[in-house]
Amino acid sequence: MTYKINEIFETLQGEGSFTGQPSVFIRLQGCPVGCSWCDTKHTWEVNSDLRIPISDLLAQKEETEDWAELTVQEISDLFRAQKFKAKHVVITGGEPCMYDLIPLCSRLESEGFSTQIETSGTYEVKTTENCWVTVSPKVNMKGGYKILPQAMARANELKHPVATEQHIDDLKLLLNDFSVQDKQVYLQPISQKQRATELAIKSCIENDWRLSVQVHKYIGIE
């Protein structure tokens, strides 16, 4: 099993339940969902001409469409070589659930890491029992993908980007359709816009949801 990797870096988790948690992020390449507000559009395409060695990828200081392909063993070796301090790993993208994540999460957990996946809910979630799954359900996106019942059922938390009342209505329909009342719900204002933030705060108070404000963007870290 190999994984196409766009980035591996250590930082703080800035969203959802693990906000403030020191984390190693594994950003995987490839996503056909097509969110208009996506802030990682450089991960959408897998161009075979842009495959590079992991050493070159780690040396890059800017966002790029380049990617490296690593096995689980190579990822494990890389973690040791980089001497990461964080013991929490966030697997994101792109759309990480395009991949079978069971081998990777199993290995990381066996080595003492906790794992988390951030997914759009449009692909089946294949991971370990202990992995924390954050579903950020992407409704009516350009790619035309539907939210899967399996992904919603597996979610530990829901993190819903919002900018308009329509986004709130979409979320309420999802919560009703998939019977996920037992899951923690976060609203995340799109692009830190004042109007979106005010809407999110209002909706959180009205519905007993929580606010996720992308702390990493406010404090200026990756």
Side-chain angles (χ1 to χ4, degrees):
M1 187 71 196
T2 62
Y3 299 92
K4 294 176 174 63
I5 293 175
N6 177 270
E7 288 185 283
I8 295 182
F9 59 95
E10 189 172 41
T11 186
L12 298 179
Q13 169 62 286
E15 303 175 2
S17 298
F18 288 94
T19 295
Q21 175 79 42
S23 305
V24 178
F25 276 70
I26 301 176
R27 188 179 305 285
L28 300 179
Q29 190 76 13
C31 181
V33 178
C35 305
S36 60
W37 63 81
C38 177
D39 55 7
T40 58
K41 290 183 179 179
H42 59 286
T43 66
W44 285 9
E45 302 296 330
V46 179
N47 186 335
S48 59
D49 293 335
L50 297 178
R51 179 178 177 178
I52 62 175
I54 187 61
S55 57
D56 292 351
L57 196 70
L58 291 172
Q60 293 180 342
K61 303 300 182 183
E62 298 179 352
E63 291 180 351
T64 173
E65 294 182 65
D66 296 339
W67 54 276
E69 190 156 14
L70 274 69
T71 65
V72 171
Q73 182 62 56
E74 288 168 335
I75 294 172
S76 177
D77 292 343
L78 175 64
F79 271 48
R80 282 191 291 273
Q82 295 295 106
K83 298 181 179 178
F84 293 132
K85 300 294 185 183
K87 301 303 290 182
H88 184 67
V89 178
V90 181
I91 305 171
T92 185
E95 174 45 71
C97 289
M98 292 174 64
Y99 300 83
D100 181 352
L101 297 171
I102 294 173
L104 178 56
C105 290
S106 296
R107 179 62 174 268
L108 291 170
E109 290 169 8
S110 74
E111 295 178 350
F113 294 94
S114 57
T115 59
Q116 177 184 1
I117 294 168
E118 297 180 339
T119 175
S120 64
T122 59
Y123 281 79
E124 181 181 355
V125 180
K126 299 177 182 179
T127 190
T128 55
E129 181 179 354
N130 292 326
C131 179
W132 182 273
V133 176
T134 301
V135 171
S136 182
K138 301 303 191 294
V139 181
N140 298 324
M141 294 296 114
K142 183 178 179 181
Y145 287 77
K146 302 297 184 182
I147 306 300
L148 299 185
Q150 187 271 349
M152 293 292 282
R154 180 59 183 81
N156 296 100
E157 65 178 0
L158 304 177
K159 179 165 59 67
H160 193 62
V162 296
T164 68
E165 290 285 356
Q166 184 61 55
H167 295 140
I168 302 299
D169 293 341
D170 290 342
L171 175 59
K172 288 180 177 178
L173 284 173
L174 281 174
L175 295 178
N176 182 66
D177 290 346
F178 291 103
S179 300
V180 289
Q181 291 83 0
D182 60 324
K183 302 182 190 299
Q184 185 59 61
V185 176
Y186 286 86
L187 295 187
Q188 188 159 284
I190 294 174
S191 301
Q192 298 82 52
K193 300 291 186 181
Q194 181 177 350
R195 180 180 175 185
T197 301
E198 291 172 352
L199 173 62
I201 292 170
K202 172 178 171 288
S203 300
C204 284
I205 292 171
E206 289 177 350
N207 296 280
D208 194 27
W209 297 332
R210 296 185 184 182
L211 186 68
S212 175
V213 294
Q214 294 186 293
V215 168
H216 55 294
K217 293 187 177 180
Y218 283 97
I219 64 178
I221 62 173
E222 189 170 8

